[in-house]
Amino acid sequence: MAQITLKGNPVNTVGELPKKGEKAKDFKLVKDDLSRVSLNDFKGQKLVLNIFPSLDTGTCAASVRHFNKVAADLKDTKVLCISRDLPFAQSRFCGAEGIKNVVTLSDYATGEFGKNYGLEIADGPLAGLHSRVVIILDENGKVTYTQQVPEIVDEPNYEEALNALK
């Protein structure tokens, strides 16, 4: 269990993030067209997992905008923006913002992704949502970088995460 904060108030997650060098656990998430995808669907590509509580917050929206901007220049890499928002909300946000370089995925159906990756918020006002995390996977699905953002309202360290792709 990791302890993070929400506006300075302590909250906990359900577990620990995957460790560097571990094979990432498979997942089943929902795309904006309601189709299901798994980790295997991205085989052979590096992945940036940009995980956050909800697109309806300024920080989460800012992280999606930032990764969308840099994703166009990333070779053999997909950026997956993952939350428990409904796919309809994700699609509406991306359409309104002109977001086209990232893939939005929802964990609304089961919440298993958040539990399996140890990043679901366990208590406090955001209990059940995902904490703010960036995980980088290599083309073989191994974890090469993780960042659990210690304060939920803060943005991740983009530079450090993107340097982990090199």
Side-chain angles (χ1 to χ4, degrees):
M1 179 178 296
Q3 187 171 78
I4 54 177
T5 58
L6 172 62
K7 298 182 179 178
N9 298 306
V11 294
N12 298 292
T13 64
V14 297
E16 299 293 329
L17 297 181
K19 304 271 186 264
K20 189 174 177 180
E22 285 182 355
K23 180 91 170 140
K25 293 180 182 177
D26 196 16
F27 55 74
K28 293 212 182 329
L29 295 168
V30 183
K31 291 175 65 173
D32 62 3
D33 64 1
L34 301 181
S35 64
R36 304 287 203 259
V37 296
S38 70
L39 181 58
N40 197 47
D41 292 316
F42 301 99
K43 194 174 188 171
Q45 296 182 322
K46 293 179 185 176
L47 296 176
V48 176
L49 308 181
N50 175 37
I51 307 154
F52 49 86
S54 175
L55 282 169
D56 287 326
T57 69
T59 305
C60 300
S63 75
V64 173
R65 285 185 203 106
H66 184 88
F67 278 117
N68 181 66
K69 190 185 310 181
V70 299
D73 297 325
L74 298 176
K75 292 184 181 174
D76 301 318
T77 303
K78 291 271 190 223
V79 177
L80 309 182
C81 293
I82 304 168
S83 69
R84 296 213 58 194
D85 290 306
L86 290 175
F88 313 114
Q90 291 174 335
S91 180
R92 185 174 53 250
F93 172 83
C94 290
E97 295 281 335
I99 305 286
K100 296 181 181 183
N101 300 320
V102 300
V103 178
T104 55
L105 298 173
S106 178
D107 190 23
Y108 86 94
T110 65
E112 288 301 312
F113 175 83
K115 290 176 182 70
N116 289 340
Y117 277 66
L119 54 84
E120 180 180 291
I121 298 170
D123 51 26
L126 299 182
L129 296 179
H130 296 335
S131 59
R132 187 172 319 287
V133 171
V134 176
I135 299 173
I136 308 288
L137 305 178
D138 71 11
E139 52 280 333
N140 299 310
K142 285 197 176 172
V143 176
T144 62
Y145 172 86
T146 63
Q147 180 194 15
Q148 170 73 71
V149 179
E151 169 56 61
I152 295 172
V153 300
D154 290 344
E155 291 183 60
N157 186 331
Y158 300 113
E159 185 177 344
E160 186 178 276
L162 293 171
N163 283 339
L165 287 168
K166 297 175 182 172

